[in-house]
Amino acid sequence: MKKINKEKLPALWERLADEAALYLPVEEDGVVNFAPWKEGAAVNLDVINTMVPPKHLVFPQSENYLRFHVEGSKLEIEPLDVDGPYVVFGARPCDVAGIAIIDKLFLDEPCDTLYKERRDNGTIISLGCNEPEETCFCTSFDLEPGFSPDADISTWDLGEYLLWEPRNEKGQALTAKLDDLLEAADSGAAQAVEKLRQDAASREAAVVREHGWEVQGVKEALEDKFDSEIWDEIYRRCLGCGVCTYLCPTCHCFDVQDYSKGQEGLRFRCWDSCMFGDFTLMAHGENPRPTQKERVRQRFMHKLLYYPSNFEVYACVGCGRCVRKCPVSIDITQVIKAAGGVE
Amino acid sequence: MKQLNEVIKEVAAQSLSRGEVDLVIGWKKGDLWWQSYPAFVEGDEGVADLIWDPFCVPNLSRYLLEELDDKSKVAIFVKGCDALGFNQLLQDKRVEREKVYLYGIPCDGLVDPRKLEAAGHKWLSEVRRDGDELVLVSKEGEQRVKARDFMYDKCLTCRYPNPVTYDQMLGEAVEAQPQERFAGVEELEKISDDERFEYWARQFSRCIRCFACRNVCPACSCRECIFDIPEPRWLGKAKELSEDQFYHIIRAYHVAGRCVDCGECTRVCPVDLPLQELNRKFIKDINELYGEYDAGVDPETEAPLVTYNTNDPAAFTES
Amino acid sequence: MTVLNPLLPQVAKIVKIKAETPTIKTYRVVMPDGSKPFEHIPGQCAMISVPPVGEALFSITSSPTQEEYMEFSIVKTGSVTNFLHEVEEGFEIGIRGPYGNGFPLESFKGKDILFIGGGIGLAPLRSLINYCLDKREEFGKIDIVYGARTPDDMIQKDEIFKIWPEAPDTEVHLTVDTEWEGWEGRVGFVPQCVEEICFSPENRIAVTCGPPIMIKFVLQGLDRLGFTPEQIVTTLELRMKCGVGKCGRCNIGDKYVCKDGPVFTYAQLLNMPPEY
Ligand code: SF4
Ligand code: SF4
Ligand code: SF4
Ligand code: SF4
Ligand code: FES
């Protein structure tokens, strides 16, 4: 395990930015989001949930992937290169878990090589949470606020120092390049991390218990709830805005569109959402999910039943963004409760 | 406030049991202290869940668009800003007045949970209004703070806290204490064109195009929004600044002269775009060019952008 | 070695266009070197691109036994199809695929097969029908029930009127919705026709494609005739974008129709949320 004095972080960022494009939580106009590092950037490592999760770094909101040229009846198609190496610094464990969840779908056969290439180009440095936010419930999904098993490098904020632990070869390779900036951590460090992890997890678990936000058995409970009246109650206030899906670190639905100027054009994929009315609208005007009720049901069933049926993991990491950001408080924990898990 | 919290249950129960309305739309409480959300009550069961507290911010009138499709009469609670939005729906001929019963709520300003959080007031169990103060209840006990310090910005500038239209008023009128609402616009007017362009470009580029700002807006009630038409697709789906700008300029123009300045767009924006400033720039320009006009105050007055006067200034065509 | 991005189309060429009805055309497609774009199983689909209009998924209507080219019968219903209806022979398009599971051929072997199609629903069936006819000895009796609004709305007229009726141990039953001048065949809706002929479920598989409303009544009719849900096979049509189970658009329950379908037995459909 290594450590770095927090005063040296700007030097570290500068070095990382030399190695690759560096993204980290930056505050601009009062909003903290993952943004490219620039000298003097207002890096904010205190905010737990950035407004938008860093999923857009592995799965951009829109991503051009081919260029076409049309001339009369002739067509040329040329694939575009994926951006080069990058480093994500300060990703919270839930957001890293979100990426690991999306990996399951995109890397499953047939592998989405566009995603894979971008994913492989990135090195993710996580930052453990010392304490949860009021809307955090990652422990419900067997995740730990203080630890991110899927990151390439884990870090923890111990006040004066940031502890640093590479978790795999990619992480070790990057760590080796930073040798002069990192110091060896003493034996107490491991204990301090252990304590931080336990404290954070038990504090959050207590809150989760108090609110009844445990997820145990929800998948099984939802198996016969397609026609349940729980959807009648919950959907009615929905504005169909898609905030809950765009800000969700696990949502991964996309649309494919063309953009053209004269004979040249680009094809791109861009985020889409099952909460939008046109998501399933067919060319001849029929829509298998005609009202917001079916759409709200799809969102929750997909996260809590369909995705786990296919990939053995819930498509929710309990980051609480949708809980916080839905303008009318349609809150996944309400569905979890209404579904009622088995003990 | 406590009282009003009881009154709303009574009136809702009454209207429903007498069969005067098929549905009452009010608010109910979620698990977390700041969650007060729209509730749809059709029978006695739901009435007890209805609440009024400092977080009942969502405007309920937009739900009328859908709910009135299959109901003959619906009752909703309206705060001052909600009543303006309701009037705008009337003026735009999207709802029929006779099909709606309005319980008016004189509103002394609602609380922005994020302002409380920013000041370190977290992990609360309840927040109550008591006169000019808020009582913050947590496991550690109670704490009193000044309500005005934590109100939504839109509430600080509110000029119509008492509903301008209602069928039944549920409390004593409150006194409006509006701060100057164009202060933000004036700040932006002072900076250079380039700086202002850069400012808005930075804001717009944060937009994730969720359309929450449109979906919540009482002036955005078109049956088919231009941004939703699949063919031709006016607004590209690419996350490009030019598309972001296109969306925001068109949205602002489409609500110009009809925006009631309720601030809902700004509240719901998940990435904090200061849309109210943009809307207010339009309001301010309209006021300056065509005379003071407050959309939503009186659905019978003619709106300046849809009336023509030979002596109207030609500011849009003059260079 | 780099695996290709599954969303990346290859350039292909439309070499022949046949107008089937006023709103349906059949397109013959080959690669620029004249070869067939790729191998497929009956029931599978391909994504066809016409930049800058976009992409859409179509079932491959030619049989895999056709080694020279691939064919698609396309109805004019949206931006991509409207555009395709305007192009001429020689036009280049993008193509990627094959997508989907295709018909479960193994389970059809040795059985009698009853094809039930309506309108454009013949397109996916045709791939399988010609496959079965080319491998005649592997399958039992073949019956084809096909209907359209009017005789003019029928597609693949050469095959339905001439070629298939003459194939060994094969019967073609054509029907139109209402009386039509010059039409001497059956009149009535497809589901009715199926019940009238009274097909026995004995050792028989029913494969049906067509408008949802037709399928609904066909299923009821087959049920009355004694067919079990396992004996009935159909295809689903949904809005698709990626074709490879990634974009989420065609997700129904734990299935992605583009990848796990579009072919499902009725028994499978009964276990899925009814969102199609
Ligand atoms: S569903 Fe909500 S809480 Fe769960 S990961 Fe997505 S945004 Fe976070
Ligand atoms: S189906 Fe809906 S909930 Fe599931 S990943 Fe897609 S957008 Fe998210
Ligand atoms: S954020 Fe809330 S209102 Fe918006 S689509 Fe999601 S559930 Fe509906
Ligand atoms: S609510 Fe905010 S993020 Fe959503 S479309 Fe409006 S401005 Fe953009
Ligand atoms: S079309 Fe994209 S998942 Fe099926």
Side-chain angles (χ1 to χ4, degrees):
Chain A
M1 201 175 278
K2 306 251 176 197
K3 67 177 183 179
I4 178 168
N5 191 305
K6 276 160 86 186
E7 281 172 3
K8 283 203 207 152
L9 283 176
L12 178 88
W13 295 328
E14 197 172 332
R15 179 76 64 79
L16 288 172
D18 281 345
E19 293 290 329
L22 170 65
Y23 296 89
L24 71 188
V26 173
E27 183 163 346
E28 196 182 66
D29 296 318
V31 174
V32 182
N33 267 331
F34 280 83
W37 182 80
K38 293 193 284 269
E39 184 133 23
V43 178
N44 182 331
L45 296 181
D46 296 327
V47 153
I48 291 190
N49 285 322
T50 47
M51 213 162 245
V52 182
K55 104 176 147 181
H56 63 95
L57 299 172
V58 298
F59 176 50
Q61 180 159 7
S62 64
E63 178 175 35
N64 298 329
Y65 64 88
L66 66 84
R67 185 192 311 283
F68 53 78
H69 181 91
V70 189
E71 209 167 327
S73 61
K74 287 267 158 241
L75 171 66
E76 276 166 41
I77 292 173
E78 172 206 345
L80 295 176
D81 290 337
V82 170
D83 302 336
Y86 61 97
V87 173
V88 184
F89 181 93
R92 296 293 178 169
C94 57
D95 290 342
V96 180
I99 294 173
I101 287 171
I102 298 183
D103 281 351
K104 301 227 178 205
L105 175 106
F106 281 127
L107 304 181
D108 186 33
E109 278 307 306
C111 175
D112 187 319
T113 54
L114 188 63
Y115 176 85
K116 182 169 192 303
E117 204 178 320
R118 188 180 294 274
R119 180 76 172 89
D120 289 346
N121 280 344
T123 305
I124 298 180
I125 305 175
S126 72
L127 173 61
C129 298
N130 293 13
E131 56 175 89
E133 284 285 357
E134 272 180 284
T135 43
C136 291
F137 58 110
C138 60
T139 54
S140 294
F141 297 98
D142 292 331
L143 300 168
E144 240 196 74
F147 176 58
S148 176
D150 299 302
D152 299 307
I153 296 170
S154 294
T155 72
W156 293 270
D157 183 349
L158 288 187
E160 196 181 342
Y161 286 93
L162 208 66
L163 280 186
W164 179 286
E165 187 180 54
R167 304 204 45 77
N168 56 24
E169 273 174 36
K170 216 192 231 178
Q172 267 147 7
L174 185 64
T175 304
K177 293 186 190 162
L178 305 167
D179 223 23
D180 53 322
L181 289 166
L182 300 168
E183 314 165 35
D186 53 37
S187 58
Q191 278 167 335
V193 165
E194 200 52 43
K195 177 155 182 339
L196 181 156
R197 283 173 56 176
Q198 274 172 12
D199 286 353
S202 61
R203 171 130 197 223
E204 188 179 312
V207 176
V208 163
R209 215 167 21 247
E210 193 180 314
H211 286 303
W213 288 347
E214 289 99 339
V215 183
Q216 230 105 44
V218 164
K219 170 177 177 279
E220 291 71 20
L222 282 173
E223 266 160 18
D224 60 358
K225 297 275 190 311
F226 187 82
D227 294 313
S228 159
E229 67 275 10
I230 63 174
W231 313 116
D232 296 326
E233 143 83 14
I234 206 140
Y235 88 91
R236 224 155 148 185
R237 61 185 187 270
C238 178
L239 301 169
C241 65
V243 166
C244 50
T245 50
Y246 276 14
L247 293 190
C248 175
T250 76
C251 276
H252 49 265
C253 288
F254 64 85
D255 192 2
V256 173
Q257 296 271 328
D258 288 356
Y259 164 82
S260 73
K261 215 171 180 183
Q263 293 160 323
E264 291 288 332
L266 297 170
R267 175 162 295 166
F268 60 92
R269 68 163 157 200
C270 56
W271 293 354
D272 206 338
S273 166
C274 62
M275 300 305 272
F276 294 152
D278 64 358
F279 189 64
T280 48
L281 182 70
M282 293 197 273
H284 47 72
E286 269 179 61
N287 195 339
R289 295 198 194 105
T291 74
Q292 206 57 29
K293 175 175 162 181
E294 293 83 35
R295 298 169 201 144
V296 167
R297 174 174 59 197
Q298 167 66 12
R299 169 174 163 232
F300 291 119
M301 290 292 255
H302 184 240
K303 290 188 166 303
L304 301 173
L305 174 60
Y306 309 154
Y307 206 81
S309 302
N310 279 320
F311 301 107
E312 270 134 32
V313 60
Y314 283 112
C316 173
V317 294
C319 72
R321 281 191 184 81
C322 61
V323 178
R324 199 171 274 274
K325 288 295 183 179
C326 172
V328 289
S329 302
I330 292 181
D331 169 340
I332 189 164
T333 65
Q334 291 160 2
V335 176
I336 290 170
K337 275 192 181 174
V342 288
E343 287 306 303
Chain B
M1 189 74 68
K2 193 81 195 169
Q3 229 179 336
L4 200 47
N5 194 29
E6 298 309 320
V7 175
I8 54 157
K9 296 183 185 53
E10 279 162 29
V11 293
Q14 223 164 52
S15 302
L16 285 166
S17 66
R18 289 189 195 149
E20 288 161 354
V21 298
D22 307 322
L23 167 72
V24 175
I25 314 178
W27 301 274
K28 70 190 256 192
K29 207 66 200 156
D31 278 347
L32 297 166
W33 51 274
W34 44 265
Q35 290 180 319
S36 300
Y37 57 79
F40 300 76
V41 179
E42 275 162 303
D44 290 344
E45 323 85 65
V47 170
D49 291 341
L50 290 175
I51 54 122
W52 167 253
D53 78 356
F55 302 104
C56 291
V57 64
N59 179 354
L60 308 173
S61 44
R62 254 203 85 116
Y63 294 112
L64 294 171
L65 296 179
E66 209 145 284
E67 297 292 344
L68 280 175
D69 271 353
D70 60 350
K71 289 173 197 73
S72 45
K73 192 144 183 164
V74 174
I76 62 169
F77 294 92
V78 286
K79 309 180 292 289
C81 52
D82 303 343
L84 300 175
F86 175 80
N87 269 345
Q88 193 54 46
L89 290 170
L90 277 187
Q91 186 156 14
D92 292 337
K93 309 243 177 323
R94 293 292 276 117
V95 292
E96 292 166 61
R97 184 65 183 85
E98 316 74 69
K99 296 180 88 177
V100 184
Y101 191 84
L102 297 177
Y103 310 113
I105 298 187
C107 173
D108 45 11
L110 298 186
V111 172
D112 184 347
R114 290 179 45 201
K115 287 192 181 176
L116 280 170
E117 280 183 342
H121 301 298
K122 297 186 182 187
W123 303 98
L124 304 175
S125 55
E126 194 194 341
V127 175
R128 277 196 316 269
R129 181 82 185 236
D130 185 12
D132 289 339
E133 289 183 327
L134 293 178
V135 183
L136 313 180
V137 187
S138 70
K139 284 203 181 112
E140 279 80 54
E142 294 192 357
Q143 192 185 346
R144 283 175 176 267
V145 295
K146 217 170 129 221
R148 241 183 128 73
D149 292 347
F150 299 99
M151 269 152 56
Y152 278 103
D153 287 346
K154 67 175 198 174
C155 298
L156 293 174
T157 54
C158 175
R159 294 166 314 135
Y160 297 99
N162 300 301
V164 293
T165 178
Y166 54 85
D167 294 299
Q168 183 181 353
M169 187 64 99
L170 302 184
E172 295 294 315
V174 296
E175 189 198 339
Q177 305 168 9
Q179 283 173 15
E180 171 48 44
R181 64 173 172 153
F182 295 124
V185 176
E186 275 155 14
E187 283 305 306
L188 285 169
E189 282 171 345
K190 279 186 211 143
I191 59 180
S192 71
D193 290 359
D194 286 348
E195 282 172 307
R196 195 162 50 242
F197 184 88
E198 206 267 327
Y199 171 81
W200 283 111
R202 218 166 55 229
Q203 306 302 320
F204 293 156
S205 67
R206 211 162 57 232
C207 173
I208 56 169
R209 232 89 65 61
C210 63
F211 303 126
C213 48
R214 172 199 64 179
N215 292 9
V216 82
C217 173
C220 283
S221 60
C222 296
R223 279 173 212 276
E224 189 172 30
C225 169
I226 173 179
F227 302 118
D228 287 340
I229 299 172
E231 272 304 302
R233 193 175 275 290
W234 297 103
L235 174 66
K237 281 187 157 183
K239 180 64 193 120
E240 294 284 342
L241 182 60
S242 60
E243 307 279 16
D244 297 332
Q245 288 168 324
F246 175 77
Y247 168 63
H248 281 287
I249 290 167
I250 301 299
R251 188 204 64 83
Y253 265 98
H254 279 195
V255 299
R258 297 186 307 112
C259 164
V260 298
D261 202 17
C262 68
E264 276 290 87
C265 50
T266 309
R267 174 185 71 89
V268 301
C269 177
V271 291
D272 287 2
L273 263 66
L275 297 172
Q276 201 167 12
E277 300 304 336
L278 193 61
N279 300 336
R280 282 178 170 169
K281 170 65 178 158
F282 279 79
I283 296 174
K284 184 165 176 281
D285 283 356
I286 291 170
N287 285 351
E288 285 166 8
L289 288 167
Y290 308 107
E292 292 278 325
Y293 176 71
D294 277 334
V297 171
D298 176 6
E300 301 303 324
T301 49
E302 297 202 310
L305 293 193
V306 294
T307 46
Y308 177 68
N309 258 319
T310 41
N311 54 0
D312 275 348
F316 277 74
T317 48
E318 282 161 7
S319 55
Chain C
M1 199 210 82
T2 49
V3 186
L4 275 187
N5 171 359
L7 300 180
L8 196 67
Q10 304 296 306
V11 173
K13 195 187 207 153
I14 297 174
V15 288
K16 191 163 175 238
I17 302 177
K18 183 171 94 187
E20 304 272 2
T21 78
T23 55
I24 303 175
K25 286 181 176 178
T26 298
Y27 299 79
R28 183 170 293 179
V29 175
V30 299
M31 297 308 274
D33 65 1
S35 64
K36 175 160 109 173
F38 39 77
E39 296 301 324
H40 76 283
I41 337 176
Q44 283 189 311
C45 303
M47 193 65 87
I48 291 184
S49 288
V50 282
V53 187
E55 281 188 310
L57 195 73
F58 300 99
S59 65
I60 304 167
T61 193
S62 51
S63 159
T65 47
Q66 170 52 260
E67 277 156 23
E68 320 261 288
Y69 53 77
M70 201 169 247
E71 279 181 333
F72 302 90
S73 290
I74 296 176
V75 201
K76 209 173 154 176
T77 42
S79 46
V80 170
T81 54
N82 287 345
F83 186 90
L84 279 168
H85 270 248
E86 299 303 315
V87 307
E88 286 169 11
E89 289 172 3
F91 193 82
E92 289 183 341
I93 55 173
I95 191 167
R96 54 190 181 92
Y99 296 131
N101 54 357
F103 290 105
L105 298 174
E106 276 312 305
S107 69
F108 290 2
K109 289 204 172 141
K111 303 231 168 76
D112 293 346
I113 306 183
L114 164 59
F115 292 95
I116 307 167
I120 186 68
L122 190 66
L125 294 181
R126 175 177 175 246
S127 175
L128 180 57
I129 294 172
N130 283 329
Y131 177 88
C132 293
L133 294 179
D134 283 339
K135 309 214 171 221
R136 197 64 201 86
E137 66 292 348
E138 293 179 17
F139 304 93
K141 174 160 193 252
I142 289 178
D143 284 277
I144 301 163
V145 178
Y146 177 55
R149 220 160 44 86
T150 73
D152 292 348
D153 293 310
M154 294 187 162
I155 64 170
Q156 304 299 348
K157 296 189 182 70
D158 277 358
E159 285 168 329
I160 60 173
F161 289 116
K162 298 200 199 91
I163 303 177
W164 295 345
E166 277 159 30
D169 201 16
T170 301
E171 261 188 88
V172 180
H173 319 264
L174 301 175
T175 179
V176 295
D177 290 357
T178 49
E179 300 283 350
W180 194 256
E181 215 184 296
W183 177 257
E184 280 161 18
R186 286 171 182 275
V187 176
F189 297 115
V190 168
Q192 246 170 296
C193 176
V194 170
E195 278 199 83
E196 273 163 27
I197 302 177
C198 202
F199 292 98
S200 138
E202 186 75 25
N203 195 39
R204 183 174 262 138
I205 297 282
V207 190
T208 179
C209 295
I213 186 76
M214 179 204 94
I215 297 205
K216 190 175 152 205
F217 288 109
V218 165
L219 291 175
Q220 289 172 5
L222 289 173
D223 180 55
R224 279 192 289 269
L225 293 174
F227 282 78
T228 64
E230 288 74 20
Q231 281 174 283
I232 307 172
V233 177
T234 185
T235 62
L236 290 187
E237 192 201 334
L238 283 183
R239 184 144 185 239
M240 315 244 187
K241 278 290 177 174
C242 70
V244 286
K246 309 293 181 196
C247 78
R249 201 164 292 263
C250 69
N251 171 245
I252 302 183
D254 57 8
K255 301 276 190 288
Y256 292 91
V257 173
C258 63
K259 182 164 155 265
D260 306 316
V263 178
F264 293 99
T265 64
Y266 184 40
Q268 285 173 307
L269 288 187
L270 288 174
N271 279 318
M272 281 159 62
E275 294 190 295
Y276 40 84

